[in-house]
Amino acid sequence: MTATTSSFVECIREEARQRFADMGYPSTREEDWRFTNVAPIARATFVPQAAGCRWQKGGLEGVQISSLAEALRTQPELVEPHLARYADFRESAFVAVNTGSFEDGVFVRIAPGAVVEEPIHLIYESAADGRPTVVHPRNLIVAGAHSQATIVESYTGAGSYLTNSVTELVAGDHAVVDHYKLQTESREAFHMATMQVQLGRDTNFRSHSISLGGALVRNDVNAVLSQGCECTLNGLYLVAGEQHIDNHTSIDHAQPHAASHELYKGILDGHASAVFNGKILVRKDAQKTDAKQTNKNLVLSENAVINTKPELQIHADDVRCTHGATIGQLDAEGIFYLQSRGIGLADARNLLIIAFARDIVDRVKVAALREQLEQMLLEKLHGASR
């Protein structure tokens, strides 16, 4: 690592460490953490572990992919203008911890004008190795102007550990980027994650967040839109047992003539709990904004709890914005109808649950990922019904 790069990295690390020392871990007294208690993380002693990642990209033209440490060492001019410029460690404790602690991650650069047909798959696998461990993956994805690409992030593991990841994604003017995140962590694991998206003019960005694993999970997805952007945030969370999953999203309409579409669906069983907090901010000059946000939840147990809070902050007058949330149970008439056709109760329930999730699953355009998700949902539902 060059002296210049080392100085740059150490500077942001030290600033982030100091910021975390000042703020500490969030508490339930803070509005954004009112329903998510991170005391189990704050109390635990984790052993640092390298954020090992492998990736699958085949022989893709127009794509540069390497470890973040290598890119900082060999091409700092491509990394430093973006690293830690968007995910704000001054406002988020877990971003501060990641920024102050990360050793490596992945750097992905899509060349301007490149059309990448095959998805780029980043795979993080953690293992506790007999003691609680922590990893701080750091991903920087830069998509050049007029480029098109699909990125998949997968997180999985075994044992008791903490994954604290930050992904910064920058898309140039007229770029088209699809991003998928599949979280199937251990049922003993903690997963704290922030994805910060910065969109250029007339870009098209789609995010698909799927959360199935983890004991305590928090997903923050934040997007800042430029003029003429189209941004879609889709999410599916399935929790059972004692699981807790918190999804916080923020869409910042910073400039006019942009559209955003958001649909998050949750399925809760057992003593599980979940949170959805979605914020749409329309700034004063962001006229002609078109924004829609929906959160739908299917509660299968009397003991499951969902806290949902969609919100709009509108400072412009020529806009079209809607938001809403629903909480419901399985349709008794639908179950009766299926049973009258000779389908058992468990299978009837599972058919209705899968139908509820289908709206999100069908939006997954990567065939292999969609098939994997369908299989995981079936296995999870069949396991719960036994």
Side-chain angles (χ1 to χ4, degrees), residues 269-305:
D269 204 354
H271 288 78
S273 57
V275 178
F276 174 81
N277 188 301
K279 180 170 70 176
I280 296 175
L281 171 62
V282 182
R283 296 188 182 272
K284 182 178 179 180
D285 295 328
Q287 304 294 347
K288 302 297 183 181
T289 287
D290 185 353
K292 182 178 181 180
Q293 179 190 87
T294 306
N295 175 229
K296 296 183 178 181
N297 296 278
L298 184 60
V299 180
L300 306 176
S301 163
E302 293 182 355
N303 298 310
V305 176

PDB file of all heavy atoms in Angstrom, residues 269-305:
ATOM      1  N   ASP A 269     -43.886 -15.744  11.853  1.00  0.00           N
ATOM      2  CA  ASP A 269     -44.451 -16.891  12.549  1.00  0.00           C
ATOM      3  C   ASP A 269     -43.775 -17.026  13.908  1.00  0.00           C
ATOM      4  O   ASP A 269     -42.774 -16.366  14.190  1.00  0.00           O
ATOM      5  CB  ASP A 269     -44.264 -18.157  11.708  1.00  0.00           C
ATOM      6  CG  ASP A 269     -45.275 -19.235  12.046  1.00  0.00           C
ATOM      7  OD1 ASP A 269     -46.059 -19.046  13.010  1.00  0.00           O
ATOM      8  OD2 ASP A 269     -45.286 -20.277  11.373  1.00  0.00           O
ATOM      9  N   GLY A 270     -44.302 -17.916  14.737  1.00  0.00           N
ATOM     10  CA  GLY A 270     -43.714 -18.166  16.043  1.00  0.00           C
ATOM     11  C   GLY A 270     -43.737 -16.943  16.932  1.00  0.00           C
ATOM     12  O   GLY A 270     -44.713 -16.196  16.979  1.00  0.00           O
ATOM     13  N   HIS A 271     -42.615 -16.699  17.631  1.00  0.00           N
ATOM     14  CA  HIS A 271     -42.457 -15.522  18.472  1.00  0.00           C
ATOM     15  C   HIS A 271     -41.580 -14.468  17.782  1.00  0.00           C
ATOM     16  O   HIS A 271     -40.979 -13.629  18.440  1.00  0.00           O
ATOM     17  CB  HIS A 271     -41.833 -15.903  19.819  1.00  0.00           C
ATOM     18  CG  HIS A 271     -42.762 -16.662  20.725  1.00  0.00           C
ATOM     19  ND1 HIS A 271     -43.018 -18.013  20.555  1.00  0.00           N
ATOM     20  CD2 HIS A 271     -43.507 -16.262  21.792  1.00  0.00           C
ATOM     21  CE1 HIS A 271     -43.871 -18.403  21.485  1.00  0.00           C
ATOM     22  NE2 HIS A 271     -44.182 -17.368  22.245  1.00  0.00           N
ATOM     23  N   ALA A 272     -41.535 -14.536  16.481  1.00  0.00           N
ATOM     24  CA  ALA A 272     -40.660 -13.636  15.719  1.00  0.00           C
ATOM     25  C   ALA A 272     -41.211 -12.211  15.719  1.00  0.00           C
ATOM     26  O   ALA A 272     -42.395 -11.960  15.972  1.00  0.00           O
ATOM     27  CB  ALA A 272     -40.517 -14.135  14.287  1.00  0.00           C
ATOM     28  N   SER A 273     -40.305 -11.282  15.412  1.00  0.00           N
ATOM     29  CA  SER A 273     -40.689  -9.877  15.304  1.00  0.00           C
ATOM     30  C   SER A 273     -39.970  -9.254  14.117  1.00  0.00           C
ATOM     31  O   SER A 273     -38.903  -9.707  13.712  1.00  0.00           O
ATOM     32  CB  SER A 273     -40.359  -9.114  16.589  1.00  0.00           C
ATOM     33  OG  SER A 273     -38.981  -9.229  16.907  1.00  0.00           O
ATOM     34  N   ALA A 274     -40.567  -8.210  13.581  1.00  0.00           N
ATOM     35  CA  ALA A 274     -39.977  -7.523  12.432  1.00  0.00           C
ATOM     36  C   ALA A 274     -40.339  -6.049  12.481  1.00  0.00           C
ATOM     37  O   ALA A 274     -41.309  -5.635  13.133  1.00  0.00           O
ATOM     38  CB  ALA A 274     -40.450  -8.143  11.121  1.00  0.00           C
ATOM     39  N   VAL A 275     -39.539  -5.264  11.780  1.00  0.00           N
ATOM     40  CA  VAL A 275     -39.737  -3.821  11.692  1.00  0.00           C
ATOM     41  C   VAL A 275     -39.609  -3.412  10.232  1.00  0.00           C
ATOM     42  O   VAL A 275     -38.712  -3.876   9.530  1.00  0.00           O
ATOM     43  CB  VAL A 275     -38.686  -3.048  12.525  1.00  0.00           C
ATOM     44  CG1 VAL A 275     -38.890  -1.548  12.374  1.00  0.00           C
ATOM     45  CG2 VAL A 275     -38.733  -3.464  13.987  1.00  0.00           C
ATOM     46  N   PHE A 276     -40.511  -2.580   9.789  1.00  0.00           N
ATOM     47  CA  PHE A 276     -40.323  -1.893   8.509  1.00  0.00           C
ATOM     48  C   PHE A 276     -40.485  -0.408   8.757  1.00  0.00           C
ATOM     49  O   PHE A 276     -41.507   0.039   9.281  1.00  0.00           O
ATOM     50  CB  PHE A 276     -41.320  -2.343   7.441  1.00  0.00           C
ATOM     51  CG  PHE A 276     -41.211  -1.526   6.182  1.00  0.00           C
ATOM     52  CD1 PHE A 276     -40.232  -1.811   5.245  1.00  0.00           C
ATOM     53  CD2 PHE A 276     -42.056  -0.445   5.954  1.00  0.00           C
ATOM     54  CE1 PHE A 276     -40.101  -1.031   4.095  1.00  0.00           C
ATOM     55  CE2 PHE A 276     -41.934   0.336   4.806  1.00  0.00           C
ATOM     56  CZ  PHE A 276     -40.949   0.040   3.877  1.00  0.00           C
ATOM     57  N   ASN A 277     -39.459   0.350   8.384  1.00  0.00           N
ATOM     58  CA  ASN A 277     -39.513   1.798   8.468  1.00  0.00           C
ATOM     59  C   ASN A 277     -39.017   2.347   7.132  1.00  0.00           C
ATOM     60  O   ASN A 277     -37.835   2.233   6.818  1.00  0.00           O
ATOM     61  CB  ASN A 277     -38.645   2.315   9.619  1.00  0.00           C
ATOM     62  CG  ASN A 277     -38.821   3.810   9.854  1.00  0.00           C
ATOM     63  OD1 ASN A 277     -38.584   4.620   8.971  1.00  0.00           O
ATOM     64  ND2 ASN A 277     -39.217   4.192  11.054  1.00  0.00           N
ATOM     65  N   GLY A 278     -39.931   2.880   6.359  1.00  0.00           N
ATOM     66  CA  GLY A 278     -39.564   3.401   5.042  1.00  0.00           C
ATOM     67  C   GLY A 278     -39.812   4.893   4.955  1.00  0.00           C
ATOM     68  O   GLY A 278     -40.902   5.365   5.264  1.00  0.00           O
ATOM     69  N   LYS A 279     -38.802   5.632   4.564  1.00  0.00           N
ATOM     70  CA  LYS A 279     -38.926   7.085   4.472  1.00  0.00           C
ATOM     71  C   LYS A 279     -38.701   7.547   3.042  1.00  0.00           C
ATOM     72  O   LYS A 279     -37.728   7.150   2.402  1.00  0.00           O
ATOM     73  CB  LYS A 279     -37.933   7.774   5.411  1.00  0.00           C
ATOM     74  CG  LYS A 279     -38.020   9.304   5.363  1.00  0.00           C
ATOM     75  CD  LYS A 279     -37.211   9.946   6.474  1.00  0.00           C
ATOM     76  CE  LYS A 279     -35.728   9.783   6.266  1.00  0.00           C
ATOM     77  NZ  LYS A 279     -34.931  10.494   7.285  1.00  0.00           N
ATOM     78  N   ILE A 280     -39.595   8.381   2.567  1.00  0.00           N
ATOM     79  CA  ILE A 280     -39.418   9.057   1.286  1.00  0.00           C
ATOM     80  C   ILE A 280     -39.294  10.547   1.561  1.00  0.00           C
ATOM     81  O   ILE A 280     -40.187  11.153   2.163  1.00  0.00           O
ATOM     82  CB  ILE A 280     -40.592   8.780   0.341  1.00  0.00           C
ATOM     83  CG1 ILE A 280     -40.673   7.289  -0.012  1.00  0.00           C
ATOM     84  CG2 ILE A 280     -40.459   9.619  -0.934  1.00  0.00           C
ATOM     85  CD1 ILE A 280     -41.881   6.917  -0.843  1.00  0.00           C
ATOM     86  N   LEU A 281     -38.193  11.109   1.143  1.00  0.00           N
ATOM     87  CA  LEU A 281     -37.944  12.542   1.308  1.00  0.00           C
ATOM     88  C   LEU A 281     -37.983  13.207  -0.064  1.00  0.00           C
ATOM     89  O   LEU A 281     -37.228  12.824  -0.966  1.00  0.00           O
ATOM     90  CB  LEU A 281     -36.584  12.768   1.962  1.00  0.00           C
ATOM     91  CG  LEU A 281     -36.070  14.216   2.012  1.00  0.00           C
ATOM     92  CD1 LEU A 281     -37.006  15.098   2.830  1.00  0.00           C
ATOM     93  CD2 LEU A 281     -34.649  14.265   2.567  1.00  0.00           C
ATOM     94  N   VAL A 282     -38.858  14.178  -0.221  1.00  0.00           N
ATOM     95  CA  VAL A 282     -38.955  14.947  -1.463  1.00  0.00           C
ATOM     96  C   VAL A 282     -38.483  16.358  -1.149  1.00  0.00           C
ATOM     97  O   VAL A 282     -39.149  17.104  -0.427  1.00  0.00           O
ATOM     98  CB  VAL A 282     -40.387  14.965  -2.021  1.00  0.00           C
ATOM     99  CG1 VAL A 282     -40.426  15.741  -3.335  1.00  0.00           C
ATOM    100  CG2 VAL A 282     -40.902  13.539  -2.231  1.00  0.00           C
ATOM    101  N   ARG A 283     -37.343  16.722  -1.693  1.00  0.00           N
ATOM    102  CA  ARG A 283     -36.767  18.026  -1.386  1.00  0.00           C
ATOM    103  C   ARG A 283     -37.495  19.155  -2.137  1.00  0.00           C
ATOM    104  O   ARG A 283     -38.257  18.904  -3.079  1.00  0.00           O
ATOM    105  CB  ARG A 283     -35.268  18.020  -1.698  1.00  0.00           C
ATOM    106  CG  ARG A 283     -34.506  17.038  -0.817  1.00  0.00           C
ATOM    107  CD  ARG A 283     -33.015  17.156  -0.963  1.00  0.00           C
ATOM    108  NE  ARG A 283     -32.328  16.165  -0.138  1.00  0.00           N
ATOM    109  CZ  ARG A 283     -31.977  16.351   1.124  1.00  0.00           C
ATOM    110  NH1 ARG A 283     -32.263  17.504   1.715  1.00  0.00           N
ATOM    111  NH2 ARG A 283     -31.345  15.409   1.808  1.00  0.00           N
ATOM    112  N   LYS A 284     -37.224  20.372  -1.731  1.00  0.00           N
ATOM    113  CA  LYS A 284     -37.966  21.534  -2.218  1.00  0.00           C
ATOM    114  C   LYS A 284     -37.931  21.662  -3.729  1.00  0.00           C
ATOM    115  O   LYS A 284     -38.941  22.017  -4.367  1.00  0.00           O
ATOM    116  CB  LYS A 284     -37.398  22.802  -1.572  1.00  0.00           C
ATOM    117  CG  LYS A 284     -38.108  24.084  -1.969  1.00  0.00           C
ATOM    118  CD  LYS A 284     -37.525  25.296  -1.269  1.00  0.00           C
ATOM    119  CE  LYS A 284     -38.225  26.572  -1.694  1.00  0.00           C
ATOM    120  NZ  LYS A 284     -37.659  27.770  -1.012  1.00  0.00           N
ATOM    121  N   ASP A 285     -36.785  21.381  -4.344  1.00  0.00           N
ATOM    122  CA  ASP A 285     -36.662  21.552  -5.794  1.00  0.00           C
ATOM    123  C   ASP A 285     -37.014  20.300  -6.587  1.00  0.00           C
ATOM    124  O   ASP A 285     -36.898  20.294  -7.817  1.00  0.00           O
ATOM    125  CB  ASP A 285     -35.227  21.974  -6.134  1.00  0.00           C
ATOM    126  CG  ASP A 285     -34.884  23.344  -5.554  1.00  0.00           C
ATOM    127  OD1 ASP A 285     -35.791  24.181  -5.456  1.00  0.00           O
ATOM    128  OD2 ASP A 285     -33.710  23.556  -5.192  1.00  0.00           O
ATOM    129  N   ALA A 286     -37.447  19.248  -5.909  1.00  0.00           N
ATOM    130  CA  ALA A 286     -37.697  17.971  -6.589  1.00  0.00           C
ATOM    131  C   ALA A 286     -39.140  17.909  -7.110  1.00  0.00           C
ATOM    132  O   ALA A 286     -39.915  17.003  -6.760  1.00  0.00           O
ATOM    133  CB  ALA A 286     -37.402  16.816  -5.651  1.00  0.00           C
ATOM    134  N   GLN A 287     -39.489  18.860  -7.969  1.00  0.00           N
ATOM    135  CA  GLN A 287     -40.826  18.875  -8.560  1.00  0.00           C
ATOM    136  C   GLN A 287     -40.992  17.698  -9.521  1.00  0.00           C
ATOM    137  O   GLN A 287     -40.024  17.125 -10.003  1.00  0.00           O
ATOM    138  CB  GLN A 287     -41.054  20.194  -9.293  1.00  0.00           C
ATOM    139  CG  GLN A 287     -40.861  21.441  -8.434  1.00  0.00           C
ATOM    140  CD  GLN A 287     -41.877  21.588  -7.312  1.00  0.00           C
ATOM    141  OE1 GLN A 287     -42.890  20.891  -7.292  1.00  0.00           O
ATOM    142  NE2 GLN A 287     -41.612  22.492  -6.378  1.00  0.00           N
ATOM    143  N   LYS A 288     -42.249  17.340  -9.756  1.00  0.00           N
ATOM    144  CA  LYS A 288     -42.608  16.231 -10.652  1.00  0.00           C
ATOM    145  C   LYS A 288     -42.127  14.884 -10.128  1.00  0.00           C
ATOM    146  O   LYS A 288     -41.900  13.942 -10.893  1.00  0.00           O
ATOM    147  CB  LYS A 288     -42.046  16.458 -12.063  1.00  0.00           C
ATOM    148  CG  LYS A 288     -42.509  17.745 -12.729  1.00  0.00           C
ATOM    149  CD  LYS A 288     -44.003  17.770 -12.952  1.00  0.00           C
ATOM    150  CE  LYS A 288     -44.440  19.032 -13.675  1.00  0.00           C
ATOM    151  NZ  LYS A 288     -45.914  19.082 -13.886  1.00  0.00           N
ATOM    152  N   THR A 289     -41.969  14.779  -8.824  1.00  0.00           N
ATOM    153  CA  THR A 289     -41.615  13.502  -8.207  1.00  0.00           C
ATOM    154  C   THR A 289     -42.819  12.568  -8.238  1.00  0.00           C
ATOM    155  O   THR A 289     -43.953  12.973  -7.986  1.00  0.00           O
ATOM    156  CB  THR A 289     -41.155  13.718  -6.751  1.00  0.00           C
ATOM    157  OG1 THR A 289     -39.859  14.305  -6.758  1.00  0.00           O
ATOM    158  CG2 THR A 289     -41.109  12.412  -5.979  1.00  0.00           C
ATOM    159  N   ASP A 290     -42.556  11.297  -8.515  1.00  0.00           N
ATOM    160  CA  ASP A 290     -43.590  10.260  -8.486  1.00  0.00           C
ATOM    161  C   ASP A 290     -43.072   9.143  -7.577  1.00  0.00           C
ATOM    162  O   ASP A 290     -42.105   8.451  -7.919  1.00  0.00           O
ATOM    163  CB  ASP A 290     -43.849   9.741  -9.895  1.00  0.00           C
ATOM    164  CG  ASP A 290     -45.012   8.744  -9.935  1.00  0.00           C
ATOM    165  OD1 ASP A 290     -45.519   8.371  -8.868  1.00  0.00           O
ATOM    166  OD2 ASP A 290     -45.397   8.335 -11.047  1.00  0.00           O
ATOM    167  N   ALA A 291     -43.676   8.975  -6.413  1.00  0.00           N
ATOM    168  CA  ALA A 291     -43.165   8.006  -5.437  1.00  0.00           C
ATOM    169  C   ALA A 291     -44.307   7.187  -4.858  1.00  0.00           C
ATOM    170  O   ALA A 291     -45.355   7.725  -4.495  1.00  0.00           O
ATOM    171  CB  ALA A 291     -42.422   8.734  -4.317  1.00  0.00           C
ATOM    172  N   LYS A 292     -44.076   5.883  -4.747  1.00  0.00           N
ATOM    173  CA  LYS A 292     -45.069   4.982  -4.157  1.00  0.00           C
ATOM    174  C   LYS A 292     -44.357   4.001  -3.249  1.00  0.00           C
ATOM    175  O   LYS A 292     -43.357   3.391  -3.639  1.00  0.00           O
ATOM    176  CB  LYS A 292     -45.841   4.227  -5.247  1.00  0.00           C
ATOM    177  CG  LYS A 292     -46.919   3.309  -4.675  1.00  0.00           C
ATOM    178  CD  LYS A 292     -47.707   2.605  -5.770  1.00  0.00           C
ATOM    179  CE  LYS A 292     -48.795   1.720  -5.167  1.00  0.00           C
ATOM    180  NZ  LYS A 292     -49.583   1.016  -6.208  1.00  0.00           N
ATOM    181  N   GLN A 293     -44.886   3.827  -2.047  1.00  0.00           N
ATOM    182  CA  GLN A 293     -44.270   2.928  -1.069  1.00  0.00           C
ATOM    183  C   GLN A 293     -45.351   2.073  -0.426  1.00  0.00           C
ATOM    184  O   GLN A 293     -46.392   2.585   0.008  1.00  0.00           O
ATOM    185  CB  GLN A 293     -43.551   3.753   0.008  1.00  0.00           C
ATOM    186  CG  GLN A 293     -42.901   2.918   1.102  1.00  0.00           C
ATOM    187  CD  GLN A 293     -42.420   3.792   2.245  1.00  0.00           C
ATOM    188  OE1 GLN A 293     -43.163   4.088   3.164  1.00  0.00           O
ATOM    189  NE2 GLN A 293     -41.175   4.243   2.160  1.00  0.00           N
ATOM    190  N   THR A 294     -45.105   0.746  -0.369  1.00  0.00           N
ATOM    191  CA  THR A 294     -46.073  -0.184   0.201  1.00  0.00           C
ATOM    192  C   THR A 294     -45.352  -1.226   1.039  1.00  0.00           C
ATOM    193  O   THR A 294     -44.333  -1.774   0.627  1.00  0.00           O
ATOM    194  CB  THR A 294     -46.878  -0.900  -0.902  1.00  0.00           C
ATOM    195  OG1 THR A 294     -47.470   0.077  -1.771  1.00  0.00           O
ATOM    196  CG2 THR A 294     -47.962  -1.771  -0.295  1.00  0.00           C
ATOM    197  N   ASN A 295     -45.894  -1.493   2.214  1.00  0.00           N
ATOM    198  CA  ASN A 295     -45.409  -2.580   3.065  1.00  0.00           C
ATOM    199  C   ASN A 295     -46.585  -3.476   3.428  1.00  0.00           C
ATOM    200  O   ASN A 295     -47.591  -3.006   3.953  1.00  0.00           O
ATOM    201  CB  ASN A 295     -44.752  -2.012   4.327  1.00  0.00           C
ATOM    202  CG  ASN A 295     -44.329  -3.093   5.317  1.00  0.00           C
ATOM    203  OD1 ASN A 295     -44.627  -3.019   6.496  1.00  0.00           O
ATOM    204  ND2 ASN A 295     -43.633  -4.095   4.828  1.00  0.00           N
ATOM    205  N   LYS A 296     -46.461  -4.773   3.138  1.00  0.00           N
ATOM    206  CA  LYS A 296     -47.518  -5.736   3.427  1.00  0.00           C
ATOM    207  C   LYS A 296     -46.949  -6.858   4.294  1.00  0.00           C
ATOM    208  O   LYS A 296     -45.865  -7.371   4.025  1.00  0.00           O
ATOM    209  CB  LYS A 296     -48.098  -6.311   2.132  1.00  0.00           C
ATOM    210  CG  LYS A 296     -48.786  -5.277   1.248  1.00  0.00           C
ATOM    211  CD  LYS A 296     -49.393  -5.923   0.020  1.00  0.00           C
ATOM    212  CE  LYS A 296     -50.133  -4.893  -0.836  1.00  0.00           C
ATOM    213  NZ  LYS A 296     -50.758  -5.514  -2.029  1.00  0.00           N
ATOM    214  N   ASN A 297     -47.711  -7.235   5.302  1.00  0.00           N
ATOM    215  CA  ASN A 297     -47.237  -8.246   6.240  1.00  0.00           C
ATOM    216  C   ASN A 297     -48.291  -9.318   6.461  1.00  0.00           C
ATOM    217  O   ASN A 297     -49.479  -9.020   6.613  1.00  0.00           O
ATOM    218  CB  ASN A 297     -46.895  -7.599   7.586  1.00  0.00           C
ATOM    219  CG  ASN A 297     -45.749  -6.622   7.467  1.00  0.00           C
ATOM    220  OD1 ASN A 297     -44.600  -7.002   7.463  1.00  0.00           O
ATOM    221  ND2 ASN A 297     -46.080  -5.336   7.347  1.00  0.00           N
ATOM    222  N   LEU A 298     -47.820 -10.567   6.507  1.00  0.00           N
ATOM    223  CA  LEU A 298     -48.663 -11.726   6.768  1.00  0.00           C
ATOM    224  C   LEU A 298     -48.218 -12.316   8.098  1.00  0.00           C
ATOM    225  O   LEU A 298     -47.093 -12.810   8.228  1.00  0.00           O
ATOM    226  CB  LEU A 298     -48.507 -12.748   5.640  1.00  0.00           C
ATOM    227  CG  LEU A 298     -49.377 -14.001   5.691  1.00  0.00           C
ATOM    228  CD1 LEU A 298     -50.858 -13.640   5.662  1.00  0.00           C
ATOM    229  CD2 LEU A 298     -49.029 -14.926   4.522  1.00  0.00           C
ATOM    230  N   VAL A 299     -49.098 -12.243   9.094  1.00  0.00           N
ATOM    231  CA  VAL A 299     -48.767 -12.699  10.449  1.00  0.00           C
ATOM    232  C   VAL A 299     -49.452 -14.046  10.686  1.00  0.00           C
ATOM    233  O   VAL A 299     -50.677 -14.141  10.655  1.00  0.00           O
ATOM    234  CB  VAL A 299     -49.211 -11.669  11.500  1.00  0.00           C
ATOM    235  CG1 VAL A 299     -48.856 -12.144  12.908  1.00  0.00           C
ATOM    236  CG2 VAL A 299     -48.548 -10.322  11.228  1.00  0.00           C
ATOM    237  N   LEU A 300     -48.633 -15.076  10.911  1.00  0.00           N
ATOM    238  CA  LEU A 300     -49.138 -16.440  11.004  1.00  0.00           C
ATOM    239  C   LEU A 300     -49.356 -16.905  12.436  1.00  0.00           C
ATOM    240  O   LEU A 300     -49.911 -17.979  12.650  1.00  0.00           O
ATOM    241  CB  LEU A 300     -48.166 -17.405  10.302  1.00  0.00           C
ATOM    242  CG  LEU A 300     -47.814 -17.065   8.855  1.00  0.00           C
ATOM    243  CD1 LEU A 300     -46.778 -18.049   8.321  1.00  0.00           C
ATOM    244  CD2 LEU A 300     -49.053 -17.071   7.982  1.00  0.00           C
ATOM    245  N   SER A 301     -48.880 -16.146  13.405  1.00  0.00           N
ATOM    246  CA  SER A 301     -48.943 -16.568  14.804  1.00  0.00           C
ATOM    247  C   SER A 301     -49.446 -15.419  15.671  1.00  0.00           C
ATOM    248  O   SER A 301     -49.181 -14.245  15.394  1.00  0.00           O
ATOM    249  CB  SER A 301     -47.554 -16.999  15.292  1.00  0.00           C
ATOM    250  OG  SER A 301     -47.481 -17.046  16.693  1.00  0.00           O
ATOM    251  N   GLU A 302     -50.161 -15.755  16.733  1.00  0.00           N
ATOM    252  CA  GLU A 302     -50.621 -14.730  17.664  1.00  0.00           C
ATOM    253  C   GLU A 302     -49.464 -14.087  18.418  1.00  0.00           C
ATOM    254  O   GLU A 302     -49.613 -12.994  18.969  1.00  0.00           O
ATOM    255  CB  GLU A 302     -51.608 -15.345  18.667  1.00  0.00           C
ATOM    256  CG  GLU A 302     -52.919 -15.802  18.050  1.00  0.00           C
ATOM    257  CD  GLU A 302     -53.876 -16.349  19.080  1.00  0.00           C
ATOM    258  OE1 GLU A 302     -53.468 -16.456  20.266  1.00  0.00           O
ATOM    259  OE2 GLU A 302     -55.018 -16.676  18.718  1.00  0.00           O
ATOM    260  N   ASN A 303     -48.333 -14.763  18.454  1.00  0.00           N
ATOM    261  CA  ASN A 303     -47.189 -14.266  19.222  1.00  0.00           C
ATOM    262  C   ASN A 303     -46.205 -13.455  18.378  1.00  0.00           C
ATOM    263  O   ASN A 303     -45.248 -12.893  18.915  1.00  0.00           O
ATOM    264  CB  ASN A 303     -46.453 -15.436  19.874  1.00  0.00           C
ATOM    265  CG  ASN A 303     -47.322 -16.184  20.862  1.00  0.00           C
ATOM    266  OD1 ASN A 303     -47.944 -15.586  21.727  1.00  0.00           O
ATOM    267  ND2 ASN A 303     -47.381 -17.509  20.724  1.00  0.00           N
ATOM    268  N   ALA A 304     -46.397 -13.410  17.074  1.00  0.00           N
ATOM    269  CA  ALA A 304     -45.501 -12.647  16.198  1.00  0.00           C
ATOM    270  C   ALA A 304     -45.889 -11.171  16.225  1.00  0.00           C
ATOM    271  O   ALA A 304     -47.062 -10.822  16.378  1.00  0.00           O
ATOM    272  CB  ALA A 304     -45.556 -13.191  14.779  1.00  0.00           C
ATOM    273  N   VAL A 305     -44.880 -10.305  16.063  1.00  0.00           N
ATOM    274  CA  VAL A 305     -45.107  -8.858  16.172  1.00  0.00           C
ATOM    275  C   VAL A 305     -44.454  -8.147  14.989  1.00  0.00           C
ATOM    276  O   VAL A 305     -43.295  -8.403  14.658  1.00  0.00           O
ATOM    277  CB  VAL A 305     -44.511  -8.294  17.484  1.00  0.00           C
ATOM    278  CG1 VAL A 305     -44.672  -6.779  17.531  1.00  0.00           C
ATOM    279  CG2 VAL A 305     -45.167  -8.939  18.691  1.00  0.00           C
TER     280      VAL A 305
END
